[in-house]
Amino acid sequence: MFGITNGRKESFCKMPSRRFADGEVVMGRWPGSVLYYEVQVTSYDDVSHLYTVKYKDGTELALKESDIRSQSSFKQRKSQSSSSSPSRRSSSRSRSRSPGRPAKGRRRSSSQSREHKDDKKKTIQETNLAKLSENNTRRYNGEPDSTERNDTSCISLEQKLKPDLEIERVLEQYSLRPRKEEKKKEEIYSEKKIIETVKKIEKASSKTKELEFGGRIGAFTLIFLLPAAVFYLLLMVKQDDPSLMNFPPPLPKLESLWEARVFGVFLLWFFLQALFYLLPVGKVVEGLPLSNGRKLQYRINGFYAFILTAAAIGILLYFQFELHYLYDHFMQFAVSAAAFSMVLSIYLYFRSLKVPEEELAPGGNSGYFVYDFFTGHELNPRIGSFDLKYFCELRPGLIGWVVINLAMLLAEMKIHNQNMPSLSMILVNSFQLLYVVDALWNEEAILTTMDITHDGFGFMLAFGDLVWVPFVYSLQAFYLVGHPTAISWPVAAAITILNCIGYYIFRSANSQKNNFRRNPADPKLAYLKFIPTATGKGLLVTGWWGFVRHPNYLGDIIMALAWSLPCGFSHILPYFYVIYFICLLVHREARDEHHCKQKYGLAWERYCQRVPYRIFPYIY
Ligand code: NDP
């Protein structure tokens, strides 16, 4: 880890390397105009720092880096304009600006270029989506790399609220105002043509080119590996000596893994949660804009669903229902949930074949069946207004997790003839209950997460939400039933403090970012500084997000450790969660980093220079 860190430091001392690779398809600015076209990078000159790019009609030009944009930043901007109506789209377009400067004298052959320019006016296939209103231009200064020389290059919210000399300087420096004159040039294109071309760009760039999770082979392997891992863990926890050094326990008989009644209880649970989800209580909010500018509506009533579930469980217990039925049939429940998630994933894949291209997930549209099945082909599968992914993310699995924990607590008391649950069991139950209640209380925050905005709904999330979360995250409570662990009050107090520290970091980091994303002009956040980006969104560089690049992951990992510690140090099995979770978040951080680099380009690189550590300060 230290090696990686040092390596990163070294690379910061060098001049920034080229941003676009040979062969990459990007948007290149037409010299002297504000128009961007789809081009392919063919080479890069280290001396002149110019890229040679090829237009679709074969024209080759040399462009500087500030005249090239990633395709994703164009998409992002379109979303930022948040216009679903074509007319609004085109009217805001007339206020377009580009932060780069004209590349006079950069052409290989100016006469050749002029001819092509004229041709392109007639047959234009792409258009410039870069548009920020005058207000936005004042708020965010775009991304020319020389804006970020030192601390003064970051804008604080206070600065943002009252335009000052610094922002004026940026406006002057990048000649943003004269761009208004150039809008006349753009108006030669009809509104209809613009809409058509916008659609073309979306369509062309919507295929997933970079495969994650080890590509097709990785996805195929994970479809089998994940259920096998759950199966193995649950079998191991039941062992008297669950040491990983021991030979795996014998496989249970197939017929013992399935019971129709258990499956019926699982279905009842799932549909009860669906019913709670449909209740017309709680506010309805809009999600982030989709690639077509549309915003989906979501009902925020997860916390109510939790209260209703708690009431239902209370009634069951009052009528002497044996909740440890869950413990007795735990493996059968896990098998039922796995079977259900597989059937759900198959349904999701087949229905995704009929949806329009623009509704497919940016990360799950590779065209390879196995990969798209695993990562999720459709971004927001809905039956009417019932959002399947959003529902599964926080309801049946997450609420199910605390119900399972409670069942384990009751099973412990029953099996060991205790009047009270053990201190360890109380800690595990309370910590995880806090985590779940927090997620449901802040349900709205999930709308800005990668799961909702980027990942489709396929096997990965269906299995993760319905099987992995409830049956693997409850491993510590399950372990404690069969392996009682006594801890003293001072140890319990120390573990509680650790959990509180983790929770504080996790919650305040998430709230800081969510509030900033929801309302960047919030006066309560005026003390924060951020790096402006060309998409209009800022990147916080002070507060928690100036401490490490994923402070929320840091808090989450600290909590994960606190959940395992009550299980003592006899076995590593209860630490599976924290080990797995570190791997998950390190991988997730890398995925997020990759997406942010695509979205924010140089601004993201500058953020990484300002905040060098990813999750663990001074370590990683
Ligand atoms: P994050 O909440 O970490 O969000 C990442 C996004 O935040 C980026 O894509 C970017 O999106 C934005 N961002 C990044 N840096 C900055 C910055 N400096 N300033 C402002 N915005 C920034 O995403 P996750 O969905 O991964 O995590 C959400 C929570 O869920 C975390 O607390 C995590 O620990 C938890 N989690 C829990 C799991 C579990 O199984 N228990 C699994 C996964 C996550 P943009 O710029 O587009 O807004």
Side-chain angles (χ1 to χ4, degrees):
M1 275 183 182
F2 279 101
I4 295 169
T5 308
N6 291 340
R8 189 184 312 111
K9 268 188 179 163
E10 275 165 30
S11 70
F12 286 159
C13 301
K14 294 177 197 158
M15 285 295 288
S17 56
R18 58 185 291 188
R19 186 177 153 201
F20 304 101
D22 287 352
E24 197 173 339
V25 178
V26 292
M27 303 303 285
R29 181 176 169 174
W30 188 260
S33 80
V34 292
L35 302 178
Y36 281 77
Y37 300 88
E38 192 174 295
V39 294
Q40 188 167 33
V41 176
T42 55
S43 64
Y44 178 71
D45 188 334
D46 284 327
V47 182
S48 63
H49 299 295
L50 292 177
Y51 288 87
T52 304
V53 298
K54 197 168 184 176
Y55 290 77
K56 274 185 174 169
D57 62 0
T59 312
E60 280 199 354
L61 289 181
L63 294 184
K64 58 181 182 171
E65 195 160 272
S66 58
D67 286 338
I68 302 177
R69 296 299 179 84
S70 67
Q71 290 189 319
S72 57
S73 73
F74 270 65
K75 256 185 145 179
Q76 185 70 24
R77 266 185 210 176
K78 194 176 99 19
S79 310
Q80 284 294 308
S81 71
S82 68
S83 164
S84 53
S85 98
S87 54
R88 268 188 64 193
R89 199 181 268 169
S90 71
S91 70
S92 63
R93 184 181 180 277
S94 67
R95 282 173 279 164
S96 110
R97 64 121 185 128
S98 161
R101 273 170 292 201
K104 272 184 196 160
R106 299 283 187 222
R107 303 177 194 192
R108 283 212 164 149
S109 151
S110 60
S111 61
Q112 183 196 19
S113 304
R114 255 194 305 278
E115 278 168 35
H116 280 286
K117 189 176 173 184
D118 291 335
D119 285 345
K120 275 182 201 301
K121 278 185 182 171
K122 290 178 205 138
T123 60
I124 182 164
Q125 297 243 316
E126 290 86 16
T127 188
N128 176 17
L129 301 178
K131 48 186 179 289
L132 289 177
S133 66
E134 176 96 309
N135 283 345
N136 278 348
T137 307
R138 278 174 170 275
R139 266 159 75 156
Y140 304 107
N141 67 7
E143 61 163 17
D145 47 6
S146 52
T147 54
E148 275 291 305
R149 284 188 205 108
N150 49 40
D151 280 4
T152 58
S153 56
C154 300
I155 294 185
S156 78
L157 290 163
E158 278 163 312
Q159 285 172 311
K160 197 181 69 177
L161 291 172
K162 39 181 179 161
D164 65 3
L165 288 172
E166 176 65 16
I167 296 175
E168 288 297 319
R169 181 186 67 76
V170 172
L171 289 170
E172 291 303 331
Q173 188 179 353
Y174 295 101
S175 319
L176 297 178
R177 289 195 187 95
R179 298 279 178 270
K180 278 206 296 186
E181 288 152 24
E182 290 174 328
K183 74 179 181 183
K184 284 177 195 146
K185 285 185 193 170
E186 296 174 65
E187 283 167 2
I188 60 171
Y189 307 113
S190 71
E191 186 175 296
K192 189 163 166 263
K193 220 155 200 175
I194 291 164
I195 296 160
E196 277 170 9
T197 53
V198 167
K199 278 186 186 155
K200 268 182 191 160
I201 291 175
E202 279 169 2
K203 215 167 181 178
S205 59
S206 61
K207 275 274 178 236
T208 310
K209 292 183 190 99
E210 292 167 20
L211 305 191
E212 300 171 300
F213 307 103
R216 280 179 286 170
I217 296 173
F220 181 77
T221 312
L222 284 168
I223 291 170
F224 295 96
L225 196 67
L226 291 174
V230 176
F231 197 61
Y232 171 76
L233 289 169
L234 298 190
L235 280 180
M236 283 303 287
V237 177
K238 278 280 204 179
Q239 303 304 302
D240 290 339
D241 178 11
S243 167
L244 296 186
M245 293 301 177
N246 290 346
F247 208 67
L251 291 175
K253 286 184 186 152
L254 263 184
E255 55 268 26
S256 70
L257 295 176
W258 182 262
E259 198 183 299
R261 190 165 164 228
V262 171
F263 187 62
V265 174
F266 175 82
L267 287 182
L268 194 68
W269 168 257
F270 187 88
F271 289 110
L272 181 73
Q273 291 303 323
L275 185 71
F276 291 163
Y277 173 82
L278 287 172
L279 291 178
V281 288
K283 60 179 177 176
V284 175
V285 301
E286 284 186 331
L288 294 182
L290 302 172
S291 65
N292 58 8
R294 214 157 62 90
K295 287 181 184 176
L296 293 177
Q297 297 204 320
Y298 297 88
R299 186 173 287 285
I300 306 293
N301 65 4
F303 192 72
Y304 293 110
F306 176 77
I307 301 284
L308 288 173
T309 308
I313 298 288
I315 292 169
L316 284 181
L317 291 177
Y318 181 77
F319 288 106
Q320 312 281 313
F321 178 82
E322 302 272 10
L323 202 59
H324 62 79
Y325 175 80
L326 261 174
Y327 170 78
D328 297 339
H329 298 83
F330 201 49
M331 184 63 97
Q332 291 171 339
F333 272 108
V335 171
S336 296
F340 184 84
S341 68
M342 179 53 88
V343 173
L344 178 63
S345 312
I346 293 169
Y347 162 73
L348 290 167
Y349 183 77
F350 281 106
R351 64 164 274 154
S352 73
L353 297 177
K354 292 189 202 125
V355 305
E357 184 96 356
E358 61 175 20
E359 289 178 21
L360 298 178
N365 186 19
S366 68
Y368 299 121
F369 160 71
V370 173
Y371 187 82
D372 295 346
F373 172 81
F374 176 75
T375 52
H377 201 206
E378 190 179 350
L379 185 60
N380 300 297
R382 285 185 164 208
I383 301 172
S385 63
F386 193 99
D387 192 302
L388 291 164
K389 180 170 71 170
Y390 173 67
F391 165 69
C392 287
E393 277 279 295
L394 288 187
R395 313 299 178 96
L398 206 70
I399 300 177
W401 172 19
V402 290
V403 175
I404 289 172
N405 273 352
L406 178 65
M408 297 299 170
L409 182 146
L410 295 172
E412 183 201 49
M413 286 169 65
K414 186 172 175 184
I415 291 169
H416 301 290
N417 281 323
Q418 296 168 195
N419 293 329
M420 280 279 292
S422 68
L423 192 50
S424 308
M425 185 63 100
I426 291 174
L427 289 189
V428 168
N429 261 262
S430 322
F431 295 163
Q432 297 184 350
L433 178 67
L434 171 71
Y435 191 73
V436 171
V437 168
D438 176 272
L440 295 168
W441 183 259
N442 296 290
E443 190 179 10
E444 206 175 326
I446 199 179
L447 299 179
T448 58
T449 63
M450 211 194 294
D451 289 4
I452 297 291
T453 60
H454 179 267
D455 293 339
F457 195 30
F459 183 80
M460 179 177 76
L461 283 183
F463 187 84
D465 293 340
L466 302 178
V467 186
W468 192 266
V469 168
F471 294 95
V472 173
Y473 286 19
S474 56
L475 209 64
Q476 289 100 343
F478 192 19
Y479 173 87
L480 286 173
V481 178
H483 309 88
T485 308
I487 54 168
S488 63
W489 282 101
V491 170
I495 297 173
T496 306
I497 290 170
L498 185 70
N499 191 67
C500 291
I501 293 171
Y503 178 73
Y504 175 72
I505 297 174
F506 164 84
R507 175 52 26 231
S508 40
N510 276 326
S511 299
Q512 210 167 61
K513 178 177 64 91
N514 291 336
N515 294 339
F516 179 67
R517 279 283 173 263
R518 288 261 162 217
N519 180 15
D522 186 348
K524 284 190 206 131
L525 303 174
Y527 66 98
L528 293 173
K529 284 192 170 187
F530 65 90
I531 296 177
T533 76
T535 66
K537 285 182 180 179
L539 291 170
L540 291 168
V541 283
T542 56
W544 282 112
W545 297 81
F547 179 54
V548 285
R549 297 210 290 273
H550 265 98
N552 48 355
Y553 290 1
L554 175 67
D556 223 337
I557 290 169
I558 294 173
M559 280 192 285
L561 179 64
W563 300 351
S564 300
L565 288 172
C567 300
F569 298 105
S570 307
H571 296 107
I572 198 162
L573 201 64
Y575 290 84
F576 171 81
Y577 176 71
V578 61
I579 296 167
Y580 141 81
F581 202 50
I582 291 173
C583 299
L584 173 93
L585 292 184
V586 165
H587 177 248
R588 197 174 168 94
E589 198 277 338
R591 288 180 72 208
D592 189 49
E593 181 103 3
H594 182 68
H595 297 149
C596 287
K597 206 166 179 177
Q598 285 184 331
K599 257 187 288 184
Y600 302 123
L602 287 174
W604 183 259
E605 281 175 23
R606 288 198 297 276
Y607 173 57
C608 296
Q609 282 171 353
R610 286 285 302 265
V611 186
Y613 295 101
R614 295 162 188 255
I615 302 176
F616 303 103
Y618 305 106
I619 300 174
Y620 176 69

